């Protein structure tokens, strides 16, 4: 889209105005409205969404400003552009001068106001700044019927830059809470497995262990008599099952070959070993 020569001049004039405004100026000059005595056009600005306690610029949300123009000229005038800037007191000068913080995007309108008529335009802008109080300046560039360019100060007051209100149904906050909860649960699980479980050792389970062993082995199994080993103890002989119940490699051979015990009849009398007569 091509711009007309008049629009090009107006845009360059508005840019030059903001470039010159980037230099620090006295606070009185920044607070006072700029006047165009050669143009009988009045402008006033209102914010439809403003609160009773002042104008707030919510970060990330567009702020709507309604500019109302009154043309008292005998000829029609044209609203070329509307732009603005945010100012803050310069700390180096103890508030005696102001410095520009951010330029606001300018918008081209090219709206004609007939002689003696009124016209309103809506100007929207957004901010992304730290919460603070700043001075908002809105400037309109007006062109007369003769082609002369004029700048009108549409607004020059203190506003508050604030963060948007948090909502429980905000998707970003929900994902943030879930992420933090996952990190917290993972940390607790790591601490529990690393330190707490070592302080409380698990005890061996008792009770139905024999029944589980029977189920795993498929019930009782007959033992071959050849695999039984006799063990003599204080309570009498006992039999153990298995091929060998102990390791014989370290037992001397004379102890392995023990003599068998002879059975003695209960009614028999021992033979006398007396000398023959």
């Amino acid at each position: 889209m091509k711009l007309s020569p008049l629009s090009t001049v107006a845009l360059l004039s508005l840019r030059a105005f903001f470039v010159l405004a980037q230099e620090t100026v006295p606070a009185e000059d920044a607070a006072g409205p700029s006047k165009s005595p050669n143009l009988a056009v009045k402008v006033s600005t209102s914010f439809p969404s403003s609160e009773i306690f002042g104008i707030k610029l919510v970060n990330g949300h567009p702020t709507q400003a309604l500019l109302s123009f009154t043309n008292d000229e005998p000829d029609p005038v044209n609203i070329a552009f509307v732009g603005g800037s945010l100012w803050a007191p310069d700390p180096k000068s103890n508030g005696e001068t102001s410095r520009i913080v951010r330029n606001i995007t300018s918008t081209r309108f090219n709206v004609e106001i007939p002689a003696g008529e009124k016209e309103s335009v809506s100007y929207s802008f957004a901010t992304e700044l730290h919460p603070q109080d700043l001075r908002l300046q809105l400037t309109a560039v007006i062109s007369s019927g003769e082609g002369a360019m004029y700048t009108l100060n549409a607004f020059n007051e203190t506003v508050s830059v604030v963060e948007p209100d948090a909502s429980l149904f905000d998707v970003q906050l929900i994902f943030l809470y879930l992420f933090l909860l996952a990190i917290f649960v993972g940390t607790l699980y790591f601490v529990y497995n690393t330190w707490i479980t070592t302080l409380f050792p698990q005890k061996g389970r008792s009770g139905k262990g024999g029944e589980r062993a029977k189920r795993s082995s498929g019930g009782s199994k007959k033992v071959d008599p050849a695999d039984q080993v006799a063990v003599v103890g204080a309570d009498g002989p006992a039999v153990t099952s298995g091929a060998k119940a102990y390791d014989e490699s370290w037992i001397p051979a004379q102890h392995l070959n023990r003599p068998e015990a002879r059975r003695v009849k209960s009614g028999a009398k021992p033979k006398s070993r007396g000398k023959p007569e």
Side-chain angles (χ1 to χ4, degrees):
M1 183 176 61
K2 297 182 179 179
L3 297 177
S4 62
L6 184 61
S7 300
T8 304
V9 173
L11 180 60
L12 294 176
S13 175
L14 183 62
R15 289 183 177 179
F17 174 79
F18 288 126
V19 169
L20 294 175
Q22 290 183 358
E23 301 178 358
T24 57
V25 297
E28 295 179 356
D29 295 342
S34 60
K35 299 180 181 180
S36 297
N38 297 328
L39 188 67
V41 177
K42 299 179 181 178
V43 58
S44 61
T45 304
S46 61
F47 294 85
S49 60
S50 63
E51 299 179 357
I52 302 176
F53 301 101
I55 302 171
K56 295 183 179 180
L57 308 183
V58 183
N59 285 329
H61 294 268
T63 302
Q64 182 183 9
L66 187 62
L67 283 71
S68 300
F69 294 86
T70 302
N71 183 15
D72 294 332
E73 289 283 325
D75 299 325
V77 295
N78 186 54
I79 305 173
F81 290 91
V82 175
S85 58
L86 292 169
W87 295 73
D90 191 358
K92 297 180 181 180
S93 62
N94 296 326
E96 294 180 359
T97 58
S98 299
R99 60 180 179 85
I100 190 170
V101 176
R102 182 71 56 85
N103 282 329
I104 302 175
T105 305
S106 59
T107 303
R108 185 168 63 92
F109 290 98
N110 287 334
V111 176
E112 184 179 287
I113 308 175
E117 298 293 333
K118 296 181 179 180
E119 189 66 36
S120 297
V121 295
S122 178
Y123 173 67
S124 298
F125 60 93
T127 57
E128 287 291 345
L129 299 171
H130 294 291
Q132 55 185 316
D133 291 337
L134 299 174
R135 179 171 292 278
L136 174 62
Q137 287 187 353
L138 297 181
T139 304
V141 177
I142 305 296
S143 62
S144 64
E146 300 175 355
M149 307 300 297
Y150 299 91
T151 58
L152 299 178
N153 193 352
F155 185 82
N156 191 2
E157 294 183 12
T158 302
V159 296
S160 299
V161 180
V162 297
E163 294 290 346
D165 296 334
S167 176
L168 295 178
F169 299 99
D170 191 355
V171 179
Q172 294 181 353
L173 288 179
I174 291 175
F175 278 105
L176 177 61
Y177 293 152
L178 292 177
F179 178 73
L180 294 178
L181 180 61
I183 293 178
F184 180 72
V185 173
T187 304
L188 289 182
Y189 182 77
F190 175 77
V191 171
Y192 177 79
N193 287 339
T194 306
W195 289 288
I196 298 181
T197 54
T198 57
L199 299 178
F200 302 97
Q202 297 181 356
K203 297 181 180 179
R205 296 181 179 180
S206 60
K208 298 182 179 180
E211 297 179 359
R212 297 193 187 96
K214 289 181 180 180
R215 295 194 202 101
S216 62
S217 62
S220 60
K221 184 179 180 181
K222 294 182 179 181
V223 181
D224 190 359
D227 295 336
Q228 294 181 350
V229 179
V231 179
V232 180
D235 297 334
V239 178
T240 61
S241 61
K244 289 183 180 181
Y246 52 88
D247 187 9
E248 297 180 354
S249 60
W250 59 276
I251 303 177
Q254 61 270 20
H255 294 286
L256 293 176
N257 301 326
R258 293 184 301 176
E260 296 181 357
R262 296 180 180 179
R263 296 181 179 181
V264 180
K265 296 182 179 180
S266 59
K269 294 182 180 180
K271 297 181 181 181
S272 61
R273 298 181 180 179
K275 294 181 179 180
E277 294 179 356

